[in-house]
């Protein structure tokens, strides 16, 4: 078993870059709208804070599951598929909410993609627990 976790590290790095970009956007809007705490009356800042917070709510759990899967010997193809799908889903979610606070195709792809990745990861780790290594 490879203990270097190279695939998980790749997606942790890519998702960290995305998280930093989302953070910088929040900071930029705080400066622009002169809001130190909270969101004030700025709709743009409210949206940016939700995009950033939503990322922080879902991505860490998915990365933990990706690491557990890699430690259990999941195939490189599966790990890359899930990592890439999560990255694309998070980009879509951010773009979708930026375009419209209502429903949008990108936001839908982001939500369904994130939930799909989490459900597949949960199924994998539960399957390992129940039936041994997959």
């Amino acid at each position: 078993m490879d203990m270097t976790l190279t695939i998980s590290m790749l997606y942790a790095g890519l998702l960290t870059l995305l998280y930093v970009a989302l953070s910088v956007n929040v900071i930029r809007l705080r400066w622009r709208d002169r809001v130190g705490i909270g969101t004030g009356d700025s709709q743009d800042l409210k949206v940016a804070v939700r995009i950033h917070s939503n990322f922080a709510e879902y991505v860490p759990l998915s990365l933990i599951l990706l690491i557990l899967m890699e430690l259990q010997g999941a195939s490189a193809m599966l790990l890359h598929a899930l990592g890439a799908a999560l990255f694309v889903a998070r980009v879509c979610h951010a773009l979708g909410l930026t375009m419209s606070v209502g429903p949008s195709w990108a936001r839908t792809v982001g939500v369904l993609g994130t939930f799909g990745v989490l459900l597949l990861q949960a199924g994998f780790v539960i399957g390992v627990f129940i039936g041994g290594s997959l």
Side-chain angles (χ1 to χ4, degrees):
M1 179 186 319
D2 182 13
M3 297 295 286
T4 59
L5 302 174
T6 55
I7 297 171
S8 297
M9 288 190 330
L10 169 64
Y11 293 103
L14 291 172
L15 289 160
T16 297
L17 293 176
L18 180 54
Y19 186 74
V20 169
L22 298 175
S23 300
V24 167
N25 189 46
V26 170
I27 293 165
R28 179 186 65 81
L29 292 170
R30 286 191 185 289
W31 276 93
R32 185 193 78 181
D33 298 336
R34 301 195 188 283
V35 177
I37 300 290
T39 57
D41 294 327
S42 173
Q43 183 64 24
D44 290 342
L45 183 55
K46 287 177 187 170
V47 170
V49 165
R50 270 316 306 148
I51 292 168
H52 179 265
S53 298
N54 190 275
F55 185 102
E57 292 163 3
Y58 289 103
V59 171
L61 176 59
S62 187
L63 283 173
I64 290 168
L65 291 168
L66 195 69
I67 290 166
L68 292 173
M69 291 174 68
E70 192 164 2
L71 286 171
Q72 286 298 315
S75 75
M77 185 185 308
L78 177 60
L79 294 169
H80 280 296
L82 292 170
L86 181 64
F87 185 82
V88 169
R90 298 322 304 168
V91 169
C92 285
H93 182 266
L95 292 174
L97 263 178
T98 301
M99 292 186 305
S100 167
V101 293
S104 69
W105 69 267
R107 186 176 183 187
T108 301
V109 167
V111 170
L112 294 177
T114 300
F115 285 174
V117 167
L118 285 167
L119 289 171
L120 288 168
Q121 290 174 316
F124 182 94
V125 297
I126 291 168
V128 169
F129 175 77
I130 291 172
S133 184
L134 294 178

